[in-house]
Amino acid sequence: MGRAPCCDKDGVRKGAWTPEEDQVLAEYIKKHGHGSWRTLPKQAGLLRCGKSCRLRWINYLRPDIKRGPFTAEEEGTIIQLHGMLGNRWAAIASQLPGRTDNEIKNFWNTHLKKRLLRSGNSLGAQELSFSPDQSDVKSESPSLRHMAQWEKARVEAETRLSMELESSLLNSCSTTNSLPDHFLQLWHSDVGQSFRDITKKEPVSQSPTSQASSAFANMTQEQASICQPKLDDGTAGSESDSYKFLDTSDSALKLLLDMPDGNIGFLEGLGQTESFLCPLNGRCD
DNA sequence: AATGCGGCCAACCGCTGCCAT
DNA sequence: TATGGCAGCGGTTGGCCGCAT
């Protein structure tokens, strides 16, 4: 049985919100929180459906909404994340504080997509269609393409992490603390979680430990606790899913470092363009 | 000044996944 | 385990606005 529609009842207003409605909704939520969206309109005295109220609050009335044009940095982040995640606007929005999925979706559709198409730059080309020599990947579903991209980025990040760890071990852990890896932040954020959720559904053979995990394996617990990189820029994913390297246990390290080697082979066919994460990790030199 | 056109964006629609029962 | 209700998500639409003619 289908669900009863929530927005086609008589007496339910549609269309643009009036300032009065905005005020009623905002004040109600400030006082009581949104609670159940379904019952909110009645309790707040609004002739709107719950969905409409939710959307209005999330996209317009929320106090932490960031207004104004997207910065170049935000643009770069959107492009990179879209390359990895596709049209998963909510996941992308979770990495851009103050921006809503709707806003990002509109911005992508009206600005970035066109710009990438026009410029035909490498990222745009990568995003909009894989190069001909990647036909195997191209023929796969978008989610597989994005998985491949995620995996590639992760392998690169692990390589970096491995090098950093080894050098940090040699240097008494003096450098690692100041080198948060943005990809790994992402990996441990909501976005990374959503990707891991996808890969969980795939039959993945347990991999041998990577170089990086070997580095950890050779550390004593004390060393590990001292050398855990710190996240101090506060930009990682929000709430509970954010980057928690400081709390890593052995199992968490395994989660981070074990890679499904059965899935790596296909990555070699991707063609090694310059790391598409450059704008994120800031190390393109 | 009037009209047409295209871009932008807020809001709606319908599907999906999660959770409670 | 199956079912139904809900919130959340992504795609789409429609109206407004600015610009060109």
Side-chain angles (χ1 to χ4, degrees), chain A residues 85 88 91 150 187 189-199:
Chain A
L85 299 166
R88 301 187 58 194
W150 256 110
W187 181 252
S189 70
D190 292 347
V191 177
Q193 182 60 53
S194 62
F195 174 75
R196 291 196 295 278
D197 290 344
I198 294 169
T199 57

Side-chain angles (χ1 to χ4, degrees), chain A residues 105 174 276:
Chain A
K105 178 172 59 180
S174 59
F276 68 99

